[in-house]
Amino acid sequence: MSFFDLIVIGAGPGGYVAAIKAAQLGKSVAVIEKDKVGGTCLNRGCVPTKALVHASEVLEQISSCGELGISVESVSYDFAKLHERKAEVVSKLRGGIESLFKANGVTLINGTGFVADAHTVKVGEDVYEAGNIILATGSYPAKPPIPGLDLPGVVTSDDLLEGEGVDTKSLVIIGGGVIGVEFATIYHALGCEVTIIEAMDRILPTMDKEISQNLNMILKKRGIKVNAGARVEFIEEADGLTVHYTMKDKPMEVKADKVLVSIGRRAQTGGVVDESMDLGIERGLIPVDENYQTCVPGIYAIGDIVKGGIQLAHAASAEGVNAVCHMFGEEPEKDMSVVPSCIFTSPEIAAVGMTEAEAKAKEIPVLVGKTIMSANSKTVIESGDRGFIKLVFNADTKAIIGAQMMCIRATDMLGALTDAIVNGLTLEQMSKTIWPHPTFSEAIGEALEDLGTGSIHSAPKRKKK
């Protein structure tokens, strides 16, 4: 029986980062993966989606380059080659993870891991002993109990991203969350007729309300149909697929060649742990303490399977690092109270910390600085859509507590604002920075000036409590 200081089940962004961290601390580590390293994020999520987003953005830029004085006689795309390029990107990054395992002495075991007890893991007939165990088994697309979801042509995000993808001329998307709006952006750019049906009263319901409203207007302007406050009743085969839904108590329907179900993801915890071990699993989710340790000492859980957690790749990675630090007597390295979030629509959306509404709900007095991107030189140069940057400060301490952005390169700029929140920077400290011109990031400076002496680009100073 082989012994490891740590056995990780799942080689996604939470599992492989945790494994490498433990190996760098000098521990013996094994990672068990039943599929391909990289997990959902690399193989069927973040990375392949963004590869397609990039391709669709380039296509749109070429199609509209006449505005720049550049003539292109014809523009077309090869759907199969788009997915070939996506596969190349995924393969290259997967190879990078495997190289990191080898460089750090991490043992990769292919197969399905099963936790027999607090220190024993089985993979088929093979048995391994572990000082500690991390469960990082990830999630899979959720499917609500809607009649007709088993019909041919009804797909999930996995189907759209695996292999050669799903080519279609018309697509109904059930769910206007992150996955839904990103695929709406991609498929619309490819000339597909897209309709979004969202049960909540707005798309991106967990984001700042102004972001939802702004994106809703942009999508509709482009020709994407958005139906919020609508409930899907059933799907039937009739001249393709017909989605029947109710909106404002009125029965409605929309036809399409394909239907994407994107209402979220479910934790993948079934059959991972022996029934004799009670981890307190609730609706597939595992409760953990502040160190990501379950109620069974020595067994930790991270990523999409954690109760009350955030289903984001970088959150899982940070959780993995902190879990490893705890199990081997190190101080936690990551501040899990501030987790940034990115959405790769066009324009991009990025947020971190509290929104103005969330702060008010907690009775925190706020100062809000905002700038509109139509006054930003780089945005005008690149013909960017309407957007904004909003900064939220605690009115008493003057420390930044939140930021919301909707503009070109918003996701790349979010790191600096996350750093500011984590380190408690104040309005005065942030206002000392000279922002380079012409850049998208100088709009952050304009949002700060909105709370100071003002500028020629910013609105009058406002104070909100």
Side-chain angles (χ1 to χ4, degrees), residues 151-287:
L151 291 172
V154 179
V155 298
T156 67
S157 58
D158 283 2
D159 299 316
L160 297 186
L161 294 171
E162 290 183 324
E164 296 181 355
V166 176
D167 197 2
T168 181
K169 294 302 180 183
S170 56
L171 177 69
V172 170
I173 300 175
I174 301 176
V178 175
I179 297 172
V181 297
E182 286 188 349
F183 276 112
T185 300
I186 293 168
Y187 273 85
H188 174 264
L190 300 180
C192 180
E193 183 180 339
V194 179
T195 300
I196 298 174
I197 301 176
E198 167 56 46
M200 302 295 285
D201 62 354
R202 57 190 173 94
I203 56 174
L204 298 181
T206 63
M207 301 294 291
D208 180 272
K209 190 172 184 179
E210 190 170 357
I211 286 176
S212 299
Q213 293 172 336
N214 207 34
L215 181 62
N216 187 74
M217 286 188 285
I218 289 173
L219 294 181
K220 285 186 174 181
K221 183 179 178 181
R222 293 176 183 171
I224 296 174
K225 299 178 180 67
V226 179
N227 300 303
R231 184 180 70 252
V232 175
E233 304 294 348
F234 64 96
I235 304 170
E236 66 174 347
E237 280 186 301
D239 189 22
L241 293 169
T242 301
V243 180
H244 296 265
Y245 63 100
T246 302
M247 187 173 178
K248 295 181 180 179
D249 298 321
K250 182 180 178 181
M252 306 184 77
E253 64 180 51
V254 58
K255 296 181 183 296
D257 296 331
K258 305 291 181 182
V259 174
L260 167 63
V261 182
S262 60
I263 64 160
R265 300 184 65 84
R266 302 288 187 215
Q268 195 158 257
T269 51
V272 177
V273 178
D274 190 271
E275 293 181 358
S276 64
M277 299 178 62
D278 184 7
L279 296 183
I281 297 176
E282 302 176 22
R283 301 182 66 179
L285 297 169
I286 303 176

Side-chain angles (χ1 to χ4, degrees), residues 335 338 393-394 397-401 416-430:
D335 183 345
V338 183
F393 289 82
N394 184 311
T397 66
K398 302 299 187 294
I400 185 169
I401 57 174
L417 293 172
T418 303
D419 188 34
I421 296 173
V422 168
N423 290 288
L425 295 189
T426 65
L427 174 59
E428 180 182 5
Q429 290 171 321
M430 293 181 68

Side-chain angles (χ1 to χ4, degrees), residues 8-88:
V8 181
I9 300 180
Y16 79 72
V17 169
I20 292 170
K21 177 62 180 178
Q24 290 173 342
L25 292 176
K27 309 302 178 181
S28 57
V29 184
V31 176
I32 301 170
E33 174 56 55
K34 66 179 181 180
D35 194 3
K36 302 179 181 71
V37 300
T40 294
C41 177
L42 177 53
N43 297 290
R44 300 173 300 280
C46 319
V47 172
T49 304
K50 278 54 183 182
L52 294 177
V53 165
H54 176 65
S56 67
E57 286 178 343
V58 171
L59 179 62
E60 286 195 318
Q61 289 169 0
I62 295 172
S63 299
S64 61
C65 67
E67 300 173 6
L68 306 178
I70 300 172
S71 298
V72 177
E73 291 186 4
S74 64
V75 182
S76 62
Y77 69 89
D78 185 319
F79 192 81
K81 287 187 176 179
L82 291 179
H83 281 269
E84 284 178 15
R85 168 59 180 160
K86 172 211 69 182
E88 289 173 4

